[in-house]
Amino acid sequence: MKALSISAAFSAIFLISCQKTSTPDPDQKPFAVQDSASLVKKGEYLVTITGCNDCHTPKKMGPKGPELIEELLLSGFQGKNAIPEFDKERTQKGFAQMSPDMTAAAGPWGVSFAANITPDETGIGSWTFEQFKTAITQGKYKGQENGRPLLPPMPWFNYTDMKDEDLRAIFAYLKSIKPVENVVPTPKQFEK
């Protein structure tokens, strides 16, 4: 009886050790907690305290100053709008300027536009978590390793050491909000 038990235990261990195992790919099969309401809520909190709305959500002027345009939440500079005019001489002196809706900025680098970070295809709809992480922690356009650097005022360098759990929460929240179709223009250089 004892030999049978040892033999059965050995067989079980052998079968288990021969099974193919792999690390789950978080982009293909999300962790159960990644889709949870608490992860999305944490992401919303992090998006709020890190100031993403400051540049990525268009604003209108209200009685107490700029107010978010809720239906355009995190959709960036609106591509249908005319490109704002900035004082080129001031930018050459090192001054930065913002558009009235605070989604475009100008400085010595030229004019940059806040990206659409909603889950629409014109935003981050087709992005993987790895692309998002690369964009946020390495400052790469569209999260592409060989992409151009993100331009000011995007403070990506403040997020280089952000923990994956926080990045996953932000990504989950951004993927949960209302998609807004909006193609943001490419950065502009000032004419010489």
Side-chain angles (χ1 to χ4, degrees):
M1 192 63 119
K2 189 173 187 182
L4 183 60
S5 296
I6 292 173
S7 176
F10 178 79
S11 294
I13 291 170
F14 179 77
L15 287 173
I16 291 170
S17 67
C18 288
Q19 288 181 350
K20 200 173 192 179
T21 59
S22 63
T23 306
D25 179 353
D27 294 326
Q28 300 302 318
K29 296 181 181 181
F31 300 112
V33 71
Q34 188 171 4
D35 293 323
S36 74
S38 63
L39 188 69
V40 169
K41 194 75 175 155
K42 178 181 178 182
E44 180 180 21
Y45 166 75
L46 291 169
V47 163
T48 301
I49 67 165
T50 57
C52 299
N53 283 306
D54 294 352
C55 296
H56 291 277
T57 299
K59 282 135 224 75
K60 61 184 176 190
M61 199 54 68
K64 295 182 180 179
E67 298 173 352
L68 301 180
I69 301 174
E70 292 294 329
E71 61 272 16
L72 299 176
L73 187 72
L74 298 167
S75 63
F77 179 83
Q78 301 301 293
K80 65 182 181 344
N81 292 350
I83 294 178
E85 291 189 27
F86 293 101
D87 184 336
K88 182 180 167 185
E89 288 181 32
R90 292 189 58 80
T91 62
Q92 290 173 338
K93 293 178 184 176
F95 287 93
Q97 303 163 60
M98 296 294 289
S99 63
D101 73 351
M102 302 175 78
T103 60
W109 65 88
V111 180
S112 52
F113 304 94
N116 179 353
I117 55 174
T118 72
D120 188 77
E121 290 302 310
T122 60
I124 64 166
S126 63
W127 286 32
T128 64
F129 171 74
E130 287 305 318
Q131 283 178 281
F132 180 72
K133 180 179 178 179
T134 299
I136 299 300
T137 63
Q138 296 176 37
K140 296 294 185 174
Y141 177 68
K142 292 193 175 185
Q144 299 169 349
E145 294 286 338
N146 59 351
R148 69 163 169 78
L150 295 180
L151 298 173
M154 178 60 186
W156 66 267
F157 41 84
N158 291 333
Y159 310 128
T160 57
D161 294 327
M162 189 176 275
K163 296 176 184 175
D164 271 10
E165 64 192 62
D166 292 338
L167 288 165
R168 285 190 189 284
I170 292 170
F171 191 63
Y173 169 67
L174 293 176
K175 290 287 194 161
S176 77
I177 64 175
K178 180 186 122 198
V180 178
E181 184 177 349
N182 176 42
V183 177
V184 174
T186 58
K188 308 290 181 206
Q189 295 295 315
F190 288 115
E191 294 177 15
K192 304 271 183 200

